[in-house]
Amino acid sequence: GIQVEQSPPDLILQEGANSTLRCNFSDSVNNLQWFHQNPWGQLINLFYIPSGTKQNGRLSATTVATERYSLLYISSSQTTDSGVYFCAVVQTGANNLFFGTGTRLTVIP
Amino acid sequence: NAGVMQNPRHLVRRRGQEARLRCSPMKGHSHVYWYRQLPEEGLKFMVYLQKENIIDESGMPKERFSAEFPKEGPSILRIQQVVRGDSAAYFCASSPLSGTEAFFGQGTRLTVV
């Protein structure tokens, strides 16, 4: 099956800093989503981005499907950005999301 | 437009009891997916259903677990004779079409004592 690797596994930032999270996948995909799981366990949709670049406020994402990776940028981080960020993909020919292992982000004041 | 609704939010069961988890998809969504998340781990796919049909159950344990999505009413994930290892967060997601953007509910946290 498809492999989805996220890096770094853990990240600690000072409030106001910028960061880049990476997601590598091992096969072609039809769908790629980024999620934020907050400390209460809720999964929040950040981006649906099978290809290209999108921006939403302080967050942006880029997926280069031909090179099998996606990047999530967080600028001017805030303590509320803390949590786990998951990348999930739907492999071509499949029908369900396959999740990476996540990046745990801690933003300290 | 209400999101994906799961209930209960928290469920405590004794070993050997049955657990029933419910999921109502977003309005207009007919595709439902169930995932399980063990503590400190990612989400693992369990089963994919459309109305009245199980499309892919490759992630479901072979015994004690079953799922349905009837013509009327929510999708149900049923765990019979629960064991401590079933303790986890169970998430439901829905999408308008297969493999398109999925939206998740808040999850049901099952604790087996």
Side-chain angles (χ1 to χ4, degrees), chain A residues 30-31 33 48 90 94-97, chain B residues 31 33 48 95 97-102:
Chain A
N30 291 334
N31 175 7
Q33 292 186 242
Y48 170 70
V90 178
N95 48 42
N96 58 276
L97 284 167
Chain B
H31 300 255
Y33 314 80
Y48 161 44
S95 67
L97 295 171
S98 174
T100 58
E101 187 175 12

Side-chain angles (χ1 to χ4, degrees), chain A residues 21-33:
Chain A
L21 282 58
R22 187 176 180 101
C23 171
N24 292 333
F25 42 97
S26 61
D27 205 345
S28 63
V29 299
N30 291 334
N31 175 7
L32 187 145
Q33 292 186 242

Side-chain angles (χ1 to χ4, degrees), chain A residues 4-80:
Chain A
V4 180
E5 296 182 354
Q6 292 187 241
S7 59
D10 294 279
L11 184 59
I12 300 175
L13 295 177
Q14 198 80 38
E15 197 169 26
N18 303 329
S19 62
T20 301
L21 282 58
R22 187 176 180 101
C23 171
N24 292 333
F25 42 97
S26 61
D27 205 345
S28 63
V29 299
N30 291 334
N31 175 7
L32 187 145
Q33 292 186 242
W34 283 96
F35 297 90
H36 174 213
Q37 188 167 39
N38 63 23
W40 296 270
Q42 186 180 3
L43 273 169
I44 299 164
N45 284 41
L46 297 178
F47 293 102
Y48 170 70
I49 187 166
S51 64
T53 298
K54 291 186 177 180
Q55 180 156 7
N56 184 3
R58 295 181 296 105
L59 303 181
S60 64
T62 294
T63 297
V64 184
T66 53
E67 298 187 18
R68 299 181 183 170
Y69 73 88
S70 183
L71 302 173
L72 178 68
Y73 306 96
I74 305 174
S75 64
S76 304
S77 58
Q78 301 175 357
T79 55
T80 51

Side-chain angles (χ1 to χ4, degrees), chain B residues 4-5 9-10 20 25 27 32 35 38 43-44 50 54 61 79 81 94-95 113:
Chain B
V4 178
M5 304 300 292
R9 293 288 306 280
H10 300 275
R20 282 185 177 240
K27 187 176 181 181
V32 166
Y35 289 79
L38 296 171
L43 280 76
K44 306 294 185 189
Q50 292 181 42
I54 296 175
I79 311 172
Q81 300 174 346
S94 73
S95 67
V113 297

